Amino acid sequence: MALEIPMEVTLIMGPRSEDRSPESAATRIGLGARLLQSLTAEKIHEAGHGRKTFQLERDLDGPECLVMHSVLHVDRARAMSQRELWELIGRELMTGPLASKDRKYLAFLSCTRYRGAPNPRTHEDTLARTQGHAALGGGGLALFGSACLHTWPTCMAQVLARFLDTTAIDTEQLMDDSNYRGTHGGCLATTLGSVLHELGHTFDLGHTRDGIMGRGFDYVDRVFVGAAGIDSNRNPVRREPQHTTVALSRPLSVTVTVQQPPVASPRRNRLLSETSSRSGGLVGFEASGTRTPGRLSAPASPELNRSFARSIAASAETPAQTDRTYWGGSCAALLAHHRWFNSDLDNVRRLNCNDLKYDAKRNVVRSRFGVRIIELRESVGGLVVASRQFPGNHLTLEAMVPPPPPHCLAALTLVAEDSVGSILKHPLPTAF
């Protein structure tokens, strides 16, 4: 069964010069999602796993987004926290006509309102002046506010210009979610990248110290315009962009052509549900009432960003990481073998129960289909602190769990995946 991602949105904020209608919002989200489809495939390919990506429910057919009319009153929504909104919208989705165990949901809130904060010093100051906002993903739902959606392109012809837009954000009127860059292009890069980051959580990814599941998602602009991205400080820098052509055709085929090096077109993949035993509903909204919380991501301070930018400029980066937007090794491997990313695992999913197990006495993970990835993550925050991968055609039926790094005192969770995309999550004892 194919993954389906309906997307919900209505009226958005923005300058008067922008079309802020529900139709315009839907168009922006649809195009943004397809850009992320292409980016996901290319970054998995760069990690050595071929081109695999998620499928949107409608592809190029029909309206890009569906509008869900919530029963939640707008005043109450604007008084709720991000996590409260995520939980309520998730429950509403799974009790309504859009409910499906074979979908993940990318949703945008129409109630987001920015109340103005002249020269906010920190991102926390900006968030304190923003109501009905979310940037939170986990389980089966990635939820976002719409205050910066006006910076997103509405057509392919606008993509380069929007990423390179150095117009300063008027913080008295508009939310600045640009990781301290202060420009419309910076807002587009950070918010589009944040969508990919939070979607990563819905596909069982944890946090990493860098890359897409770290703060590397702030720089998705560099994937599309090369070194012409907006600098990480408030002084935008224009550089000569690489010559890139991105084309969408029907049925969905995303083709990216770069003068040097050449890039072939990613193949389209259907995505499958994670577990064969799931009875339905959002992952993380169980019948018992327990939940797997979504994960929040906050931007680094301006000082840390400038320090990081200097260290990056002074170091020799690998070609796959020069744009700072990449899947970490275990993240790429997990996506490459994930059931939502492999249609050829459908029969295996139907015929076999979950065979992936953890033997605590021997501290090993085993699966008759072959273990592919083992991670140790901090139980609070989900940061990956250690990992092992088992690539190639030879199946590793049993593998030792890697030791935690020295001086790691945090409670840890074991996360593993096998060749057929089964996922195991097991809390480890504190004395592990």
Side-chain angles (χ1 to χ4, degrees):
M1 291 174 287
L3 168 67
E4 300 173 334
I5 306 181
M7 296 169 284
E8 298 78 29
V9 70
T10 52
L11 192 64
I12 59 173
M13 294 188 66
R16 292 184 178 181
S17 58
E18 290 289 340
D19 183 351
R20 296 174 290 166
S21 67
E23 294 76 18
S24 176
T27 299
R28 296 168 198 266
I29 294 169
L31 177 56
R34 292 185 182 104
L35 292 176
L36 294 181
Q37 269 188 322
S38 178
L39 188 155
T40 297
E42 292 304 315
K43 294 304 174 178
I44 292 177
H45 173 66
E46 283 182 3
H49 299 285
R51 291 183 172 88
K52 298 183 178 184
T53 192
F54 54 83
Q55 180 185 346
L56 297 174
E57 180 174 357
R58 299 184 174 228
D59 289 335
L60 299 182
D61 296 323
E64 283 92 348
C65 303
L66 302 176
V67 176
M68 185 189 81
H69 298 281
S70 173
V71 299
L72 182 63
H73 191 277
V74 64
D75 291 338
R76 184 187 171 202
R78 289 174 180 170
M80 296 173 72
S81 69
Q82 297 192 42
R83 195 173 302 281
E84 289 171 335
L85 285 166
W86 181 77
E87 292 174 352
L88 190 145
I89 296 299
R91 292 193 185 98
E92 208 172 341
L93 279 167
M94 298 317 299
T95 56
L98 296 178
S100 172
K101 65 179 181 179
D102 301 313
R103 287 172 171 162
K104 289 187 182 289
Y105 298 84
L106 171 58
F108 287 77
L109 296 161
S110 65
C111 61
T112 310
R113 288 296 178 270
Y114 176 71
R115 295 180 295 158
N119 301 316
R121 298 188 63 182
T122 67
H123 185 63
E124 287 70 28
D125 294 338
T126 299
L127 290 179
R129 303 293 295 174
T130 309
Q131 301 173 319
H133 172 74
L136 185 59
L141 171 65
L143 182 66
F144 297 87
S146 55
C148 294
L149 200 56
H150 65 91
T151 65
W152 290 29
T154 59
C155 63
M156 289 299 300
Q158 291 183 355
V159 171
L160 282 176
R162 292 279 182 163
F163 275 127
L164 296 173
D165 188 353
T166 60
T167 303
I169 293 288
D170 179 3
T171 56
E172 292 190 9
Q173 304 293 329
L174 301 171
M175 182 185 186
D176 180 5
D177 192 3
S178 65
N179 199 21
Y180 299 102
R181 287 170 284 193
T183 65
H184 284 242
C187 278
L188 167 58
T190 288
T191 54
L192 185 65
S194 179
V195 170
L196 185 60
H197 177 102
E198 302 302 341
L199 280 175
H201 288 315
T202 72
F203 295 124
D204 297 292
L205 300 185
H207 282 131
T208 54
R209 298 189 185 279
D210 47 24
I212 295 167
M213 299 311 295
R215 289 300 309 188
F217 69 78
D218 284 301
Y219 305 99
V220 298
D221 53 330
R222 300 187 181 190
V223 177
F224 298 100
V225 300
I230 304 299
D231 203 314
S232 61
N233 57 32
R234 297 185 69 89
N235 298 315
V237 177
R238 282 183 178 269
R239 300 181 181 90
E240 185 65 25
Q242 69 183 29
H243 298 286
T244 304
T245 301
V246 182
L248 299 179
S249 61
R250 180 170 176 259
L252 180 63
S253 174
V254 184
T255 303
V256 181
T257 304
V258 184
Q259 282 190 350
Q260 181 67 30
V263 180
S265 59
R267 71 180 178 90
R268 173 184 175 183
N269 290 275
R270 301 180 71 216
L271 309 177
L272 307 172
S273 60
E274 302 158 11
T275 64
S276 57
S277 61
R278 196 175 352 159
S279 59
L282 277 176
V283 179
F285 293 92
E286 307 294 343
S288 63
T290 60
R291 59 179 173 80
T292 301
R295 308 188 192 282
L296 292 164
S297 300
S301 67
E303 293 77 12
L304 182 59
N305 268 292
R306 284 191 286 270
S307 173
F308 182 51
R310 286 193 296 269
S311 67
I312 290 294
S315 64
E317 299 177 80
T318 62
Q321 298 179 6
T322 51
D323 56 30
R324 297 158 70 173
T325 305
Y326 56 92
W327 300 113
S330 63
C331 291
L334 194 149
L335 290 178
H337 295 284
H338 206 287
R339 284 183 169 177
W340 288 85
F341 282 64
N342 292 279
S343 60
D344 55 350
L345 298 179
D346 198 15
N347 291 333
V348 176
R349 180 183 65 81
R350 292 172 179 170
L351 296 175
N352 299 282
C353 61
N354 191 339
D355 192 64
L356 186 61
K357 306 296 182 185
Y358 172 56
D359 185 338
K361 291 183 179 180
R362 299 175 56 226
N363 195 34
V364 298
V365 174
R366 62 174 182 263
S367 170
R368 60 184 163 133
F369 300 110
V371 179
R372 288 297 181 180
I373 305 99
I374 300 177
E375 291 182 336
L376 294 182
R377 299 181 189 173
E378 293 181 355
S379 298
V380 178
L383 178 67
V384 177
V385 297
S387 66
R388 294 187 69 189
Q389 301 171 50
F390 306 92
N393 296 326
H394 175 74
L395 296 182
T396 302
L397 303 182
E398 189 173 87
M400 289 287 295
V401 175
H407 312 300
C408 179
L409 302 178
L412 299 177
T413 297
L414 166 68
V415 179
E417 184 184 45
D418 64 13
S419 295
V420 296
S422 297
I423 301 287
L424 169 70
K425 297 181 181 180
H426 192 285
L428 296 175
T430 306
F432 175 77

